[in-house]
Amino acid sequence: MKKKNIAAVCAVAGVCVLTSAAFASYQTANGYDTLKKSLLNSIDYTNCTVTGAVKVSFDGTELVSGSYGLEADYPNQRSHTFSSSSAPQLDSEDYTLHTYEDNGYYYYQHFNEDGEADGLTRHELASDPQQTLLGISEGDRNTADKVIRFMELAADTVVGDLRNNFVCTEDADDHATYSITLDSVQIPEIINAGLSMMFSIANTESTYITYDENGEPTVVSYDENDLEYYILRLGTDPVVDNLTLSFTAGKDGNFRDGNAAVSFKGTDADGSEHTMTFDVELSFSDIGTTSVTPPSELGIDIYEYSDYDGSLTKVTF
């Protein structure tokens, strides 16, 4: 992965952390508790299907979008992940990837010399098979529980008495749906303070190093083909302009689906105002009933990869 792409991922992760804290600051009735408990319940899922999507826009123009999916059947040591990305305004190729785990083996998607997917390569797992959605092993459980408890209490502290902005939009026999819309004046000050800190750091690192054909380092500034270029155009003191959240949870305590949108507004060095928007979707389904088709039954070529010489040998089942 390019260094600039890693920076972009870090920036998006930071946005998610900060906006999650903002969402956690509001609830009505049991809205906040329902959201928190339903997400905590998913930590120990051993069989489920998860799908998600993210879209980033700048001044109304889509920059990049991506989707992700996981079919997990950990009791049978099987899983299937699939992801795709499209960046119509950036210097990045569209892609779709599939990976599998099946009884001690990991399967990567294989591409031929023309860059076309033409099967899978099989590798032995270097560690024990995953057992739960977050991959927390029995030996790490005590520490993980402490981390989760700390994060839960931190969120509850931010919540305080601000518990009356969620609206229950549907209360059916087996599920309930909540939604919330907040404008800039309702955003906790700690969120904007955190944004200011993050963007100030980003602006001090507005260049990156690449290497020419001779291996010589060259300092390069971000341009219109980089996501960082648009992030930096929000200046050093952007604010959360507005955010919305809607989610549905079953009466059994399981999170079903949700979508959120958060817009950041900032001022460029030339004084022009810009808006960057993140749209996020997440859903859980087929909890306890997800079935993963093993790679051997997909009807595609599977190759054994040699760590010794990098050669591929077709696998016969």
mmCIF file of all heavy atoms in Angstrom, residues 95-98 108-121 300-301 303:
data_model
loop_
_atom_site.group_PDB
_atom_site.id
_atom_site.type_symbol
_atom_site.label_atom_id
_atom_site.label_comp_id
_atom_site.label_asym_id
_atom_site.label_seq_id
_atom_site.Cartn_x
_atom_site.Cartn_y
_atom_site.Cartn_z
ATOM 1 N N TYR A 95 -11.127 -1.784 -7.854
ATOM 2 C CA TYR A 95 -10.781 -3.182 -7.620
ATOM 3 C C TYR A 95 -11.911 -3.893 -6.893
ATOM 4 O O TYR A 95 -12.751 -3.289 -6.237
ATOM 5 C CB TYR A 95 -9.493 -3.305 -6.801
ATOM 6 C CG TYR A 95 -9.658 -2.987 -5.331
ATOM 7 C CD1 TYR A 95 -10.075 -3.958 -4.413
ATOM 8 C CD2 TYR A 95 -9.409 -1.705 -4.837
ATOM 9 C CE1 TYR A 95 -10.244 -3.667 -3.079
ATOM 10 C CE2 TYR A 95 -9.564 -1.401 -3.490
ATOM 11 C CZ TYR A 95 -9.981 -2.405 -2.622
ATOM 12 O OH TYR A 95 -10.158 -2.102 -1.289
ATOM 13 N N THR A 96 -11.911 -5.225 -7.024
ATOM 14 C CA THR A 96 -12.794 -6.107 -6.261
ATOM 15 C C THR A 96 -11.967 -7.310 -5.838
ATOM 16 O O THR A 96 -11.285 -7.917 -6.668
ATOM 17 C CB THR A 96 -13.998 -6.574 -7.094
ATOM 18 O OG1 THR A 96 -14.762 -5.440 -7.510
ATOM 19 C CG2 THR A 96 -14.894 -7.495 -6.275
ATOM 20 N N LEU A 97 -11.990 -7.651 -4.567
ATOM 21 C CA LEU A 97 -11.177 -8.741 -4.041
ATOM 22 C C LEU A 97 -12.033 -9.704 -3.231
ATOM 23 O O LEU A 97 -12.973 -9.301 -2.549
ATOM 24 C CB LEU A 97 -10.056 -8.210 -3.149
ATOM 25 C CG LEU A 97 -8.950 -7.371 -3.808
ATOM 26 C CD1 LEU A 97 -8.007 -6.838 -2.736
ATOM 27 C CD2 LEU A 97 -8.186 -8.204 -4.828
ATOM 28 N N HIS A 98 -11.678 -10.994 -3.317
ATOM 29 C CA HIS A 98 -12.311 -12.037 -2.516
ATOM 30 C C HIS A 98 -11.227 -12.842 -1.819
ATOM 31 O O HIS A 98 -10.199 -13.179 -2.425
ATOM 32 C CB HIS A 98 -13.134 -12.984 -3.397
ATOM 33 C CG HIS A 98 -14.331 -12.347 -4.019
ATOM 34 N ND1 HIS A 98 -15.597 -12.423 -3.463
ATOM 35 C CD2 HIS A 98 -14.454 -11.611 -5.152
ATOM 36 C CE1 HIS A 98 -16.451 -11.767 -4.234
ATOM 37 N NE2 HIS A 98 -15.779 -11.272 -5.252
ATOM 38 N N TYR A 108 -6.149 -16.593 -1.279
ATOM 39 C CA TYR A 108 -6.088 -15.258 -1.865
ATOM 40 C C TYR A 108 -6.600 -15.317 -3.306
ATOM 41 O O TYR A 108 -6.453 -16.333 -3.988
ATOM 42 C CB TYR A 108 -4.645 -14.731 -1.915
ATOM 43 C CG TYR A 108 -4.037 -14.380 -0.592
ATOM 44 C CD1 TYR A 108 -3.268 -15.306 0.106
ATOM 45 C CD2 TYR A 108 -4.196 -13.112 -0.042
ATOM 46 C CE1 TYR A 108 -2.681 -14.985 1.318
ATOM 47 C CE2 TYR A 108 -3.610 -12.791 1.170
ATOM 48 C CZ TYR A 108 -2.852 -13.729 1.835
ATOM 49 O OH TYR A 108 -2.275 -13.398 3.037
ATOM 50 N N GLN A 109 -7.133 -14.205 -3.766
ATOM 51 C CA GLN A 109 -7.513 -14.120 -5.173
ATOM 52 C C GLN A 109 -6.253 -14.039 -6.031
ATOM 53 O O GLN A 109 -5.310 -13.320 -5.708
ATOM 54 C CB GLN A 109 -8.386 -12.883 -5.410
ATOM 55 C CG GLN A 109 -9.148 -12.923 -6.724
ATOM 56 C CD GLN A 109 -10.337 -11.978 -6.699
ATOM 57 O OE1 GLN A 109 -10.734 -11.486 -5.645
ATOM 58 N NE2 GLN A 109 -10.912 -11.727 -7.849
ATOM 59 N N HIS A 110 -6.225 -14.815 -7.119
ATOM 60 C CA HIS A 110 -5.059 -14.840 -8.002
ATOM 61 C C HIS A 110 -5.362 -14.075 -9.281
ATOM 62 O O HIS A 110 -6.466 -14.161 -9.833
ATOM 63 C CB HIS A 110 -4.672 -16.284 -8.348
ATOM 64 C CG HIS A 110 -3.474 -16.379 -9.237
ATOM 65 N ND1 HIS A 110 -3.576 -16.565 -10.598
ATOM 66 C CD2 HIS A 110 -2.149 -16.280 -8.971
ATOM 67 C CE1 HIS A 110 -2.364 -16.592 -11.128
ATOM 68 N NE2 HIS A 110 -1.482 -16.426 -10.163
ATOM 69 N N PHE A 111 -4.380 -13.285 -9.731
ATOM 70 C CA PHE A 111 -4.534 -12.508 -10.964
ATOM 71 C C PHE A 111 -3.473 -12.959 -11.971
ATOM 72 O O PHE A 111 -2.310 -13.184 -11.609
ATOM 73 C CB PHE A 111 -4.369 -11.009 -10.679
ATOM 74 C CG PHE A 111 -5.424 -10.460 -9.757
ATOM 75 C CD1 PHE A 111 -5.252 -10.489 -8.375
ATOM 76 C CD2 PHE A 111 -6.603 -9.926 -10.261
ATOM 77 C CE1 PHE A 111 -6.220 -9.991 -7.521
ATOM 78 C CE2 PHE A 111 -7.580 -9.430 -9.416
ATOM 79 C CZ PHE A 111 -7.395 -9.458 -8.047
ATOM 80 N N ASN A 112 -3.883 -13.086 -13.239
ATOM 81 C CA ASN A 112 -2.936 -13.477 -14.269
ATOM 82 C C ASN A 112 -2.112 -12.281 -14.740
ATOM 83 O O ASN A 112 -2.223 -11.181 -14.196
ATOM 84 C CB ASN A 112 -3.659 -14.140 -15.449
ATOM 85 C CG ASN A 112 -4.693 -13.218 -16.089
ATOM 86 O OD1 ASN A 112 -4.577 -11.995 -16.032
ATOM 87 N ND2 ASN A 112 -5.720 -13.803 -16.685
ATOM 88 N N GLU A 113 -1.295 -12.492 -15.768
ATOM 89 C CA GLU A 113 -0.406 -11.432 -16.252
ATOM 90 C C GLU A 113 -1.164 -10.233 -16.807
ATOM 91 O O GLU A 113 -0.617 -9.125 -16.884
ATOM 92 C CB GLU A 113 0.534 -12.001 -17.326
ATOM 93 C CG GLU A 113 1.498 -13.050 -16.786
ATOM 94 C CD GLU A 113 2.398 -13.610 -17.866
ATOM 95 O OE1 GLU A 113 2.177 -13.261 -19.053
ATOM 96 O OE2 GLU A 113 3.315 -14.387 -17.543
ATOM 97 N N ASP A 114 -2.412 -10.438 -17.207
ATOM 98 C CA ASP A 114 -3.233 -9.341 -17.732
ATOM 99 C C ASP A 114 -4.005 -8.625 -16.632
ATOM 100 O O ASP A 114 -4.818 -7.737 -16.906
ATOM 101 C CB ASP A 114 -4.210 -9.871 -18.787
ATOM 102 C CG ASP A 114 -3.497 -10.452 -19.990
ATOM 103 O OD1 ASP A 114 -2.443 -9.894 -20.357
ATOM 104 O OD2 ASP A 114 -3.987 -11.454 -20.546
ATOM 105 N N GLY A 115 -3.769 -9.034 -15.386
ATOM 106 C CA GLY A 115 -4.453 -8.398 -14.278
ATOM 107 C C GLY A 115 -5.869 -8.880 -14.059
ATOM 108 O O GLY A 115 -6.644 -8.251 -13.333
ATOM 109 N N GLU A 116 -6.223 -10.029 -14.662
ATOM 110 C CA GLU A 116 -7.568 -10.562 -14.533
ATOM 111 C C GLU A 116 -7.599 -11.656 -13.476
ATOM 112 O O GLU A 116 -6.690 -12.484 -13.379
ATOM 113 C CB GLU A 116 -8.031 -11.130 -15.879
ATOM 114 C CG GLU A 116 -8.071 -10.103 -17.002
ATOM 115 C CD GLU A 116 -8.338 -10.738 -18.349
ATOM 116 O OE1 GLU A 116 -8.091 -11.964 -18.482
ATOM 117 O OE2 GLU A 116 -8.786 -10.034 -19.254
ATOM 118 N N ALA A 117 -8.655 -11.668 -12.661
ATOM 119 C CA ALA A 117 -8.809 -12.697 -11.637
ATOM 120 C C ALA A 117 -9.090 -14.035 -12.309
ATOM 121 O O ALA A 117 -10.024 -14.146 -13.116
ATOM 122 C CB ALA A 117 -9.938 -12.322 -10.685
ATOM 123 N N ASP A 118 -8.272 -15.047 -12.021
ATOM 124 C CA ASP A 118 -8.473 -16.342 -12.671
ATOM 125 C C ASP A 118 -8.370 -17.505 -11.683
ATOM 126 O O ASP A 118 -7.991 -18.608 -12.056
ATOM 127 C CB ASP A 118 -7.465 -16.529 -13.812
ATOM 128 C CG ASP A 118 -6.018 -16.617 -13.315
ATOM 129 O OD1 ASP A 118 -5.786 -16.321 -12.126
ATOM 130 O OD2 ASP A 118 -5.144 -16.989 -14.116
ATOM 131 N N GLY A 119 -8.696 -17.266 -10.427
ATOM 132 C CA GLY A 119 -8.688 -18.346 -9.452
ATOM 133 C C GLY A 119 -8.212 -17.883 -8.094
ATOM 134 O O GLY A 119 -8.228 -16.684 -7.781
ATOM 135 N N LEU A 120 -7.785 -18.852 -7.276
ATOM 136 C CA LEU A 120 -7.323 -18.571 -5.923
ATOM 137 C C LEU A 120 -5.994 -19.262 -5.684
ATOM 138 O O LEU A 120 -5.693 -20.294 -6.287
ATOM 139 C CB LEU A 120 -8.340 -19.083 -4.888
ATOM 140 C CG LEU A 120 -9.757 -18.517 -4.931
ATOM 141 C CD1 LEU A 120 -10.657 -19.317 -3.996
ATOM 142 C CD2 LEU A 120 -9.766 -17.042 -4.532
ATOM 143 N N THR A 121 -5.176 -18.679 -4.812
ATOM 144 C CA THR A 121 -3.961 -19.346 -4.345
ATOM 145 C C THR A 121 -4.160 -19.754 -2.897
ATOM 146 O O THR A 121 -4.724 -18.996 -2.098
ATOM 147 C CB THR A 121 -2.723 -18.443 -4.459
ATOM 148 O OG1 THR A 121 -2.928 -17.256 -3.688
ATOM 149 C CG2 THR A 121 -2.463 -18.066 -5.913
ATOM 150 N N ILE A 300 -13.769 -22.995 -9.518
ATOM 151 C CA ILE A 300 -12.699 -22.171 -10.072
ATOM 152 C C ILE A 300 -11.358 -22.837 -9.772
ATOM 153 O O ILE A 300 -11.263 -23.721 -8.922
ATOM 154 C CB ILE A 300 -12.705 -20.745 -9.496
ATOM 155 C CG1 ILE A 300 -12.545 -20.774 -7.966
ATOM 156 C CG2 ILE A 300 -13.981 -20.014 -9.879
ATOM 157 C CD1 ILE A 300 -12.492 -19.403 -7.322
ATOM 158 N N ASP A 301 -10.321 -22.421 -10.497
ATOM 159 C CA ASP A 301 -9.000 -22.996 -10.304
ATOM 160 C C ASP A 301 -8.394 -22.540 -8.972
ATOM 161 O O ASP A 301 -8.510 -21.374 -8.591
ATOM 162 C CB ASP A 301 -8.059 -22.592 -11.436
ATOM 163 C CG ASP A 301 -8.446 -23.231 -12.765
ATOM 164 O OD1 ASP A 301 -9.051 -24.325 -12.737
ATOM 165 O OD2 ASP A 301 -8.153 -22.641 -13.821
ATOM 166 N N TYR A 303 -4.666 -22.818 -6.771
ATOM 167 C CA TYR A 303 -3.251 -23.136 -6.918
ATOM 168 C C TYR A 303 -2.575 -23.174 -5.553
ATOM 169 O O TYR A 303 -2.907 -22.398 -4.659
ATOM 170 C CB TYR A 303 -2.552 -22.083 -7.790
ATOM 171 C CG TYR A 303 -3.193 -21.878 -9.147
ATOM 172 C CD1 TYR A 303 -4.154 -20.890 -9.325
ATOM 173 C CD2 TYR A 303 -2.832 -22.659 -10.238
ATOM 174 C CE1 TYR A 303 -4.745 -20.690 -10.569
ATOM 175 C CE2 TYR A 303 -3.403 -22.472 -11.477
ATOM 176 C CZ TYR A 303 -4.364 -21.486 -11.643
ATOM 177 O OH TYR A 303 -4.952 -21.293 -12.875
#
